[in-house]
Amino acid sequence: MGERRTILAIDGDTLHAVEIVCARSGIAVKRGGLAKRPPEVEPGDADAVGIWIASACGDLGVGRKRVSVLVPRDEHVAALVELPGAELSEAETVGLVRHRVSRASVPLDDDASIDFVHLPVVDAGAQRDVDEATQCFTPMLLGVGMPAQRLAWYRDVAGAAGLGGCRLEPLATGVAALAGADDGGSVRLVVSIMSRSAHLVVARDGEPLFARRAVLRTDDAVGERIAIEALRTLSAYRGAGAARFGDPIAVLIAGPEPEAVDACRACAIDVGLPAERAVDVAAVTGLERLAPGARWRLAALASSAAASRGAATRQGI
């Protein structure tokens, strides 16, 4: 049968939810959908948000026994961390990540949640024609930290919603996994269009290198807005020192058909990169069970399960 798990993400005023079954053969989507937050529920009120999530999960028919919550980029801090030559234990690695992330962004206290993703190393022997000065031959990881105050809010929400076995994971890992593992080591800009935001992730071999979130306004021309945000993402990616992994060679867009088609066209013209719509998700089946309007807004949630990442809060919340 496999293990059932529900993946949740809050995007603005909309809950995204998908229930999947993890089996040896891959990930099967069972059900899912979108639920808009009632106007009387204050977004900062953890108890009220939790009660709404419990009700919405019941309406959508998704379980609350084993849950992962995906956290957008603007709710956590991240930094690239170069590993020393000596092999580190997990505790030592967490300490290194805490130190480097704190230096690169905001100080993290001892109660902050720390996670990390090992990044692929360019094989110098296999890529002799590249400029070695711009490539990454040193083991690195992407360090992620969530401030204790925000972590406590999620913990309170999980408690009020009755979420069992709850863990937090960066949404960027699910977006990056939409590109799939690429043995050639190609770098891509992956865009997931959700209900209220576009999540833009530079990915290599299905791993996130850099991530941004852009809130979509109701009066936005979505395609043009995503092209602008793609340019901003590439500029910030290069400025953050991540460009040692190489520049993206293409844009992959996951989203409902009108918005995704417009975004592909605008990115190709304005960003100067070939752009294509995502048509499937590696190792995931059953997306067709979801309503057409929600299917590709939920794709990053399903792919996060296929990626089998470690939880940002390893002990759960």
Side-chain angles (χ1 to χ4, degrees), residues 1-313:
M1 286 289 292
E3 178 189 84
R4 287 183 179 266
R5 178 164 287 275
T6 295
I7 319 293
L8 304 177
I10 300 174
D11 189 53
D13 64 355
T14 304
L15 176 71
H16 295 56
V18 63
E19 184 177 293
I20 53 91
V21 173
C22 305
R24 291 183 179 180
S25 57
I27 303 298
V29 174
K30 292 303 180 183
R31 58 189 60 84
L34 310 172
K36 192 167 183 179
R37 187 183 69 240
E40 64 270 16
V41 175
E42 291 292 335
D45 185 337
D47 288 341
V49 170
I51 293 170
W52 161 58
I53 288 176
S55 175
C57 286
D59 293 341
L60 295 170
V62 301
R64 290 179 286 144
K65 194 171 183 179
R66 296 184 182 90
V67 179
S68 293
V69 178
L70 303 188
V71 181
R73 174 61 184 87
D74 55 345
E75 293 191 12
H76 64 75
V77 293
L80 290 171
V81 178
E82 190 170 306
L83 294 174
E87 186 172 340
L88 300 179
S89 67
E90 180 167 326
E92 291 171 328
T93 304
V94 168
L96 177 63
V97 170
R98 185 188 304 278
H99 174 68
R100 298 288 172 80
V101 171
S102 294
R103 287 186 60 185
S105 51
V106 296
L108 297 173
D109 56 31
D110 291 340
D111 293 328
S113 174
I114 301 294
D115 192 21
F116 51 87
V117 177
H118 287 277
L119 299 177
V121 180
V122 174
D123 182 353
Q127 300 193 29
R128 300 184 187 281
D129 58 337
V130 300
D131 178 3
E132 295 193 9
T134 65
Q135 299 298 316
C136 179
F137 305 115
T138 304
M140 297 190 72
L141 51 81
L142 179 68
V144 177
M146 175 175 283
Q149 184 175 3
R150 193 58 179 170
L151 179 62
W153 183 86
Y154 273 105
R155 184 179 291 119
D156 292 341
V157 168
L163 305 182
C166 189
R167 65 192 191 193
L168 301 181
E169 302 179 25
L171 176 57
T173 59
V175 178
L178 288 170
D182 185 349
D183 292 336
S186 299
V187 178
R188 299 181 186 181
L189 173 59
V190 188
V191 183
S192 176
I193 305 173
M194 296 177 70
S195 295
R196 296 291 180 263
S197 308
H199 301 267
L200 304 97
V201 177
V202 180
R204 182 173 183 272
D205 285 341
E207 301 283 7
L209 302 175
F210 185 83
R212 290 182 66 246
R213 177 191 183 195
V215 176
L216 301 175
R217 298 182 295 268
T218 55
D219 59 345
D220 275 336
V222 174
E224 294 177 4
R225 176 68 190 283
I226 287 177
I228 291 171
E229 295 301 335
L231 283 172
R232 290 173 174 166
T233 300
L234 293 177
S235 177
Y237 163 73
R238 292 162 183 150
R244 68 182 72 191
F245 292 93
D247 266 352
I249 63 168
V251 181
L252 179 68
I253 298 176
E257 185 171 344
E259 293 99 324
V261 170
D262 290 346
C264 284
R265 185 182 301 113
C267 282
I269 295 172
D270 298 341
V271 183
L273 291 175
E276 61 180 347
R277 284 187 62 207
V279 294
D280 57 24
V281 179
V284 173
T285 60
L287 278 178
E288 69 278 359
R289 293 192 178 101
L290 304 176
R295 188 172 302 157
W296 285 104
R297 298 195 194 280
L298 296 169
L301 279 66
S303 67
S304 71
S308 299
R309 305 294 186 235
T313 50

